[in-house]
Amino acid sequence: MKENKDFYVGYIDSVAPKTKKTIKGFVLAAFAILLAIAAIFAFTQNTAKNSYFEFGVDTKITGIYHELPYPMLQVKTEENEYRNIVLLGFGKFSANPYLKKIRNTTKPLSGSTLSIEGNLIYYNGKTLIQITDEEKVVLVTPSDAAKIPQPIAMVQDMELQGEIIDPKCYFGVMKPGKGKIHRSCAVLCISGGIPPVLATTDENNISKYYLITDTNGAPIHQDILPFVGKPSVIQGDVYQLQDWYQLRIDVSDIQDLNQPSTIY
């Protein structure tokens, strides 16, 4: 005797037992699969860094402007203690377009006391500020060359291993910033004038950051782009500018380790 098969009729409210059992099994299985996918997705995500980007919140800072070698503002935090805040423009650009107007009226600009309003970015002891309006860059006192901080030579021919990052996204705007899309973003930022930074981690898992310049301490952008987000060994002279290190390099000496990026 042949087994009777369920026959589903759409306009009948009741469903045959076998069909009902099949539907329940499918729904439960689909729900379990969705939960498993959600769990895998959640546990494989990168942990968000304890970094901050105060987008839309203007903070006013006042300090000594200098370009050693990138636009920065030296702010006094305590007696004989200073923090050098890196100045950035909106989007993927340097602060230079927002400083053009005040440069035309104040010469020289380095050594001047400026008041700047912008959006703070901070992470791991480093602070940056995004300027969104040139009218919020105000001269407080004229230039005084004696106030310009001077880099102190620390180590010659130091060899460091790490990755070149753009500090704007890495220190707060993107958290976390992973994958090829974020590496491409870093390349655009640095090509737009944002300072390149070497991020390293020592044997004690302590991160250190070095503003990269050429061998004369001048800005460097386009020549460094092929190495952004690639684990590399970089050799150069290390200088210290209060809370920042500066690494003066010859780009031709960079050794690409041909390893996957741990940052991008």
Side-chain angles (χ1 to χ4, degrees):
M1 184 175 181
K2 292 184 179 180
E3 181 183 357
N4 291 328
K5 293 184 179 181
D6 291 342
F7 184 72
Y8 176 72
V9 180
Y11 55 82
I12 298 178
D13 292 337
S14 61
V15 178
K18 190 173 181 181
T19 301
K20 186 183 294 185
K21 184 178 180 180
T22 301
I23 292 172
K24 283 184 177 179
F26 174 80
V27 171
L28 289 174
F31 186 68
I33 291 171
L34 285 174
L35 285 178
I37 292 173
I40 292 170
F41 182 79
F43 285 110
T44 55
Q45 294 304 295
N46 299 304
T47 303
K49 296 183 299 185
N50 187 25
S51 56
Y52 298 90
F53 174 37
E54 298 182 349
F55 181 72
V57 178
D58 280 351
T59 300
K60 181 183 288 187
I61 58 173
T62 301
I64 307 300
Y65 177 80
H66 64 85
E67 297 174 2
L68 295 171
Y70 303 100
M72 304 176 82
L73 205 65
Q74 181 199 56
V75 176
K76 187 174 182 178
T77 54
E78 295 181 23
E79 191 64 31
N80 297 321
E81 288 190 19
Y82 300 88
R83 184 179 298 274
N84 286 274
I85 299 177
V86 179
L87 307 183
L88 307 169
F90 185 78
K92 302 181 183 302
F93 299 99
S94 73
N96 288 322
Y98 298 88
L99 299 170
K100 185 177 180 180
K101 182 177 179 179
I102 198 166
R103 280 197 181 111
N104 291 337
T105 58
T106 307
K107 296 182 180 180
L109 187 58
S110 288
S112 301
T113 300
L114 300 182
S115 172
I116 295 176
E117 280 190 54
N119 313 135
L120 289 178
I121 302 165
Y122 43 97
Y123 172 65
N124 254 5
K126 302 302 177 191
T127 306
L128 307 88
I129 190 167
Q130 173 180 263
I131 306 171
T132 58
D133 187 346
E134 64 179 9
E135 299 299 330
K136 294 183 178 181
V137 181
V138 179
L139 176 69
V140 178
T141 58
S143 176
D144 182 349
K147 294 181 178 179
I148 302 174
Q150 297 301 316
I152 301 172
M154 300 290 290
V155 183
Q156 287 188 329
D157 295 326
M158 186 172 183
E159 189 173 271
L160 296 164
Q161 182 173 328
E163 295 183 40
I164 297 168
I165 60 165
D166 89 89
K168 183 173 187 179
C169 292
Y170 182 78
F171 287 157
V173 175
M174 299 284 188
K175 57 175 192 178
K178 293 284 185 179
K180 291 182 179 180
I181 293 175
H182 292 290
R183 182 172 176 267
S184 299
C185 177
V187 169
L188 288 172
C189 285
I190 292 173
S191 64
I194 291 174
V197 169
L198 176 68
T200 67
T201 304
D202 64 17
E203 62 276 7
N204 297 315
N205 203 33
I206 297 174
S207 297
K208 292 185 178 180
Y209 307 101
Y210 300 80
L211 283 166
I212 299 174
T213 75
D214 68 12
T215 53
N216 297 316
I220 186 171
H221 293 289
Q222 299 301 321
D223 293 342
I224 208 82
L225 298 182
F227 304 99
V228 174
K230 295 182 178 180
S232 304
V233 173
I234 303 180
Q235 185 172 340
D237 298 335
V238 176
Y239 287 72
Q240 186 169 10
L241 184 66
Q242 292 155 345
D243 61 323
W244 272 100
Y245 289 111
Q246 187 186 94
L247 183 63
R248 302 184 179 185
I249 70 167
D250 183 336
V251 174
S252 63
D253 292 335
I254 298 177
Q255 301 175 44
D256 185 348
L257 296 177
N258 293 312
Q259 298 174 357
S261 170
T262 60
I263 292 176
Y264 297 117

